[in-house]
Amino acid sequence: MSNFVLGLDFGTNSCRALLVDLSDGRELASSVFAYPSGEAGVIVDPADPNLARQNPADYLLGIEYTVRQVIGEARRTLADFSPDEVVGIGVDTTGSSPMPVDSYGMPLCFDERFKDNPAAMVWLWKDHTSFAEAARITGLAAKMRLRYLAKIGGTYSSEWFWSKILRLKDTAPEVYEATASVVEVCDWIPALLTGETMPGIIRRSVCAAGHKAMFSREWGGLPDEEFLEALSPGLGQLRAKLYDEAATSDCRAGYLAPAWANALGLSEKTAVAVGAFDAHMGAVGAGVSPGTLVKIIGTSTCDVMISPHDQQLQDIPGVCGIVDGSVINGYFGIEAGQSAVGDIFLWFVNNLVPESYGSTPDERFRQLELAATQLKPGESGLLALDWNNGNRTILVDVRLTGLLLGQTLHTRPHEIYRSLIEATAYGALVIIDRIEEYGVPIREIVNCGGLAVRSPLLMQIYADITGRPMKVSRSEQTPALGAAIFGAVAAGKEAGGYATVEDAQRTMTGTRTTYLPDQDAHAVYARLYALYHQLHDAFGTPRWSGGLYNAMKDLLTLRDEVRKAT
Amino acid sequence: MSNFVLGLDFGTNSCRALLVDLSDGRELASSVFAYPSGEAGVIVDPADPNLARQNPADYLLGIEYTVRQVIGEARRTLADFSPDEVVGIGVDTTGSSPMPVDSYGMPLCFDERFKDNPAAMVWLWKDHTSFAEAARITGLAAKMRLRYLAKIGGTYSSEWFWSKILRLKDTAPEVYEATASVVEVCDWIPALLTGETMPGIIRRSVCAAGHKAMFSREWGGLPDEEFLEALSPGLGQLRAKLYDEAATSDCRAGYLAPAWANALGLSEKTAVAVGAFDAHMGAVGAGVSPGTLVKIIGTSTCDVMISPHDQQLQDIPGVCGIVDGSVINGYFGIEAGQSAVGDIFLWFVNNLVPESYGSTPDERFRQLELAATQLKPGESGLLALDWNNGNRTILVDVRLTGLLLGQTLHTRPHEIYRSLIEATAYGALVIIDRIEEYGVPIREIVNCGGLAVRSPLLMQIYADITGRPMKVSRSEQTPALGAAIFGAVAAGKEAGGYATVEDAQRTMTGTRTTYLPDQDAHAVYARLYALYHQLHDAFGTPRWSGGLYNAMKDLLTLRDEVRKAT
């Protein structure tokens, strides 16, 4: 008799359920639900391009739809399948995506008073409205609590928990007033599934807490009240409404609540794991282990490594976070990332590629890929920066923008497309260099996510630019697979699951393809990378003279002034 | 009884004939002929994007087609029109566009041996193959003959006469060997029409000679033999095959040769003026006079002023040329320009604008213009450099390329379109600033050329960015009108023409519209212009530290290496 686990993956535009066979990691059924709210699931504001929110009602619809779909499919296609055999559920989500909740743990946007108020919704990871608040937090921590910054690369980001709370407090006091707690989506969904949504008992993920909320056992949990009060008078009171403990995802959040078991057609004995972020669970699904860098390449990119406790680990400037247990219990999790990768290509194809390349975006992607594959490194004369959505690692600066250099009157769209892919590869190499520079050896790179599977050109360029082999994970859905692995561990060995994450990884993960670097291409790219680095430093770092550090920021400041005045 | 003049205008992609009424400047008939050779009249080389040549046979076809068309139209539409009343013809062409000819003055590409050899064709103004040769000329002049550089802005350009000859000699010795002389197209066409093509008797234009060939009466004509020998052994011998005299365009080159009179249906008494470049004649057609800057805005842009002999005139660094009589006899002609303006918009619309903006390029232009007009200055957060075809003024450097900065994941095509227009306006302002900085006051700006007439958005942005009113010339075809004016002066007063260019301008030229600057927009643009200037200097000038002067050049060097190796 086989046992099964479910991985639930909540992305930016859709969510997915994946049913996995515990014995070999086979992915038996999968279902995707596109969020109905906003623009492809994201609530935006034409007057403020920094704003990105989400409607949590979409998650409820998504769980019911996708789980019923995969269970239905399993019933149809697997002999003797019984939903009772689904022993565990794991959950991964985007993050930091916090939302304010009431005293029952319900989203404040479910309250009639706040139903159209974006401040009462989920503040999606890519919401950049809080850039000024992030700078305040970094500034204050640098003065008062330098240790808070050490594990997060030295700069607190506008994408993170406290920046968003601070902005919520300052710009929507009526919503803040009604806030009983603030919960990350990755904590809220397991709480919902187990029926334990009261803020006081929600199990919080150490992944979210440690990487985004400056939580550490070293200083007794979240930032202390004095610090929060100094940040904003009154904010200190929120601390008691949050949490003092955080758990790794091999822990069980609880068992499926009867109402959900009934609605989804599953057993009440199904274990639900503590949630975590998609990248971290994706890394587990891709087989992360010490020395392996997992790159999850999607709309944005996350780079994840783990480092054993017994190995000396320095703080790494500009790398988003080092958190004990955030990926696998017993290891430090290291997280870095690029704010936009697939999103840049999508923007380009949707906006700047004529129909001569194809009448649908998919066809245009195919044609661009085909034409760009014919080009040699350096042939186009183009060089781009991959900062259309800011830079997460190693500059940690959302006030940066895209740049394209070298266009002539002969430049063609597929040349630009290739230069954009190359830009993201240079950005990836900056991260690799920084991690190794600080003593963490990278012996293997495993890529996962849609682009790793769908774009051989992208993978070859990554191999050529980094000069390293690029392996591609066996699964196309590593976050959901990683979530399923945690579901299996949360169920435990006695219930047919696994005792440890490593045990589960051994049978449930693997790679499929390896792209080897071409040395001639690498030699040309080394010259281009030097130029990329020159632009990177000129526009991205304050220098003692002659730099252009102000240029992108001044343009954004002016843009925001003009838009606000309109 | 009315008298008429013909202006023949030879552009990059087509030529035009314009029939003008001498008494009031009315444009009675016009005809355009698209050159049949190459890509829209330009011979290109996929392996070398710098190459741009032209087939002189296209000019012959063009003259016959367009003149017969306008004469035919005049016969149909004007009562009592007689071709005998066409008293003069003026000719303007692109330049510097030299070609090697045989001892009869015939193009070497008409010779069977060289018929497909691009070196034997017209080296079109925008041919940039000779960038290394240009640097050699500048370098040698700086050492041996500093005075040669003073009137051409300090840098000899790859677009000019000697750069092209030097490259012809070095890369196509068999063609060079057969070269009896080298003739600018603006000199060759009047020679052809008057039947005086023998190299020894061709009347050469002081406009071409002075602006492009380092010709000056100050040093006895063209650069001396010693200098040419130092440049390339053997080149000194060419000097004797060229010319010692050059004429202003109010001079008559001769009268229409019988064969041409017959072919075109005109009288043998028709005077033909000495030729000149399109921009210079365009300035005359737009009514240039002291204190008036004429901007001819087309695929590229020329800025032309004149300064009276009695006014002290310094050399202006980076301004392409100051030549006595190159625009109007009795004044110094001042020429500056931007290497690409309309060409940048055309490149963008043809390559990077999806059909959602319209199914034809014209529709897309209209929609872009409409959408871009809705934007406020600064609103897009974008900033571009207008260097897709290098920079003619004030950097005089073809090894520069385009740059776009500030794009996010929300950037739309019409935002980029507006930023490209703005980039060309900042480039225009750099030129204005430089000219005034060196003591030449600009009291009025008159714009002409297709874009000035067709794009109110462009004209308003130019007014807002420069903070000055932008007038638009009455004629849409100022180069051809200017050529016609010179035809009228070449014919002379006794033949029904005019005694001086100024006399002809008074009745034949004028303006139609004025765009006034908006002060709020100007204030925002002042901040953006400061950023433009920062990028301009960082990428365009060698600085003592921290600059990016190498970036565009290194990319081009690498590109050229890779393409040559392919």
Side-chain angles (χ1 to χ4, degrees), chain A residues 142-163:
Chain A
K143 271 196 299 195
M144 273 182 77
R145 299 282 188 276
L146 203 51
R147 63 181 186 274
Y148 289 176
L149 297 178
K151 303 294 174 200
I152 56 167
T155 310
Y156 198 79
S157 162
S158 69
E159 293 187 356
W160 297 349
F161 193 71
W162 289 109
S163 302

Side-chain angles (χ1 to χ4, degrees), chain A residues 351 355 411-412 534 550, chain B residues 347 351 355 411-412 534 550:
Chain A
N351 284 285
E355 278 73 354
T411 299
R412 301 274 295 130
Q534 207 187 344
N550 65 298
Chain B
W347 160 76
N351 283 285
E355 277 73 354
T411 300
R412 302 274 294 129
Q534 206 187 343
N550 64 299

Side-chain angles (χ1 to χ4, degrees), chain B residues 65-84:
Chain B
Y65 176 85
T66 58
V67 174
R68 290 169 70 126
Q69 285 285 113
V70 298
I71 298 301
E73 191 182 333
R75 280 183 191 280
R76 281 193 305 278
T77 57
L78 301 174
D80 308 322
F81 172 82
S82 153
D84 289 349

Side-chain angles (χ1 to χ4, degrees), chain B residues 22-139:
Chain B
L22 264 174
S23 66
D24 55 7
R26 254 193 322 145
E27 298 169 9
L28 302 168
S30 166
S31 168
V32 174
F33 175 78
Y35 299 143
S37 303
E39 282 186 14
V42 182
I43 316 291
V44 296
D45 176 357
D48 185 356
N50 289 316
L51 187 137
R53 305 288 155 89
Q54 217 154 43
N55 180 358
D58 290 355
Y59 309 143
L60 303 182
L61 297 171
I63 295 170
E64 192 153 343
Y65 176 85
T66 58
V67 174
R68 290 169 70 126
Q69 285 285 113
V70 298
I71 298 301
E73 191 182 333
R75 280 183 191 280
R76 281 193 305 278
T77 57
L78 301 174
D80 308 322
F81 172 82
S82 153
D84 289 349
E85 293 172 282
V86 178
V87 296
I89 296 178
V91 173
D92 73 270
T93 73
T94 69
S96 175
S97 300
M99 65 173 167
V101 297
D102 65 19
S103 57
Y104 298 97
M106 285 302 110
L108 284 181
C109 63
F110 288 3
D111 185 324
E112 195 58 33
R113 287 177 297 164
F114 304 125
K115 91 180 157 56
D116 295 320
N117 191 333
M121 300 177 181
V122 174
W123 293 52
L124 193 59
W125 65 277
K126 69 175 176 178
D127 186 288
H128 285 165
T129 50
S130 316
F131 61 87
E133 288 76 10
R136 273 167 63 194
I137 295 171
T138 302

Side-chain angles (χ1 to χ4, degrees), chain B residues 14 67 89 100 170 319 391 477 501:
Chain B
S14 61
V67 174
I89 296 178
D170 286 355
V319 166
N391 177 295
Q477 296 146 26
V501 172

Side-chain angles (χ1 to χ4, degrees), chain A residues 49 343-344 347 351-355 376-379 381 383 388-389 401-413 415-416 524 527-528 531 534-535 538-539 543-548 550-552 554-555 558-559 561-563 566, chain B residues 49 343-344 347 351-355 376-379 381 383 388-389 401-413 415-416 524 527-528 531 534-535 538-539 543-548 550-552 554-555 558-559 561-563 566:
Chain A
D343 264 353
I344 297 179
W347 160 75
N351 284 285
L352 294 165
V353 179
E355 278 73 354
K376 298 212 157 21
E379 183 178 346
L383 183 64
N388 292 46
N389 196 26
T401 54
L403 180 146
L404 180 68
L405 182 70
Q407 53 272 40
T408 68
L409 298 172
H410 302 282
T411 299
R412 301 274 295 130
E415 295 178 309
I416 298 177
V524 173
R527 291 165 65 184
L528 287 166
L531 291 172
Q534 207 187 344
L535 292 177
F539 286 96
R543 298 191 305 169
W544 60 283
S545 92
L548 289 161
N550 65 298
M552 292 174 178
D554 288 356
L555 281 170
L558 184 56
R559 177 196 75 177
E561 272 179 45
V562 170
R563 291 195 182 184
T566 304
Chain B
D343 265 352
I344 297 180
W347 160 76
N351 283 285
L352 295 165
V353 179
E355 277 73 354
K376 296 211 160 19
E379 183 177 345
L383 183 64
N388 292 45
N389 196 27
T401 54
L403 181 147
L404 180 68
L405 181 71
Q407 53 271 42
T408 68
L409 298 173
H410 301 282
T411 300
R412 302 274 294 129
E415 295 179 310
I416 298 176
V524 172
R527 291 165 64 185
L528 288 166
L531 291 172
Q534 206 187 343
L535 293 177
F539 286 96
R543 297 192 304 169
W544 59 283
S545 91
L548 290 161
N550 64 299
M552 292 173 178
D554 288 355
L555 282 170
L558 184 56
R559 177 196 74 177
E561 273 179 44
V562 171
R563 292 195 182 184
T566 305

